[in-house]
Amino acid sequence: LKEDEIIKNDEVIKDSDYKTKKELEEKERIARLNMTKLDFAKYLSDYGVSYPQLKQVLSTNEDAQMQWDLCERVYRFNPLLDELAKGFSISSEQLDRMFKLANGEVV
């Protein structure tokens, strides 16, 4: 069987949901990626965001500040990251790319 095929009624057929399933798997995989806070700050600097700017934005959101202060690692699945990134004109796709790079992936 090819990966986009399934057996139904003893017959090999194309899985019509294959592409959707693969996209969901990839999204879930990326969501589990993480990096240190230091690495995150460094990747933000690649987009022109300085550490003082990051601290300033975090200070305006008590929940974000608490999470930053109390965590060791930043996880991609955290919805606060998308909010933070929007404030710096960084897209969700760019965040995904940062996390892939931080985890040794070639993008």
Side-chain angles (χ1 to χ4, degrees):
L1 280 180
K2 295 179 184 172
E3 60 182 28
D4 65 340
E5 295 176 333
I6 58 173
I7 298 177
K8 188 173 184 179
N9 299 329
D10 294 326
E11 187 179 330
V12 176
I13 61 170
K14 283 248 187 232
D15 182 357
S16 60
D17 295 327
Y18 176 77
K19 184 177 178 186
T20 303
K21 289 176 189 173
K22 284 297 181 186
E23 288 171 353
L24 181 59
E25 284 176 16
E26 177 64 1
K27 200 171 195 174
E28 290 170 351
R29 185 190 71 78
I30 292 170
R32 291 187 299 271
L33 297 177
N34 64 85
M35 67 176 91
T36 66
K37 294 188 298 186
L38 176 60
D39 286 338
F40 185 68
K42 286 180 179 180
Y43 279 103
L44 284 179
S45 72
D46 292 343
Y47 289 93
V49 179
S50 69
Y51 184 60
Q53 288 174 304
L54 172 61
K55 286 175 47 176
Q56 172 59 35
V57 169
L58 289 170
S59 73
T60 64
N61 180 322
E62 187 176 338
D63 188 37
Q65 182 70 58
M66 179 183 71
Q67 288 187 42
W68 181 264
D69 290 345
L70 299 176
C71 78
E72 290 182 20
R73 301 189 70 77
V74 179
Y75 288 82
R76 177 62 187 100
F77 64 76
N78 189 331
L80 281 174
L81 292 182
D82 287 296
E83 283 182 46
L84 180 70
K86 282 180 193 173
F88 295 123
S89 299
I90 297 172
S91 70
S92 183
E93 292 77 18
Q94 289 170 313
L95 274 178
D96 290 349
R97 183 176 189 279
M98 287 170 33
F99 277 85
K100 288 178 183 179
L101 288 170
N103 284 270
E105 295 181 30
V106 177
V107 291

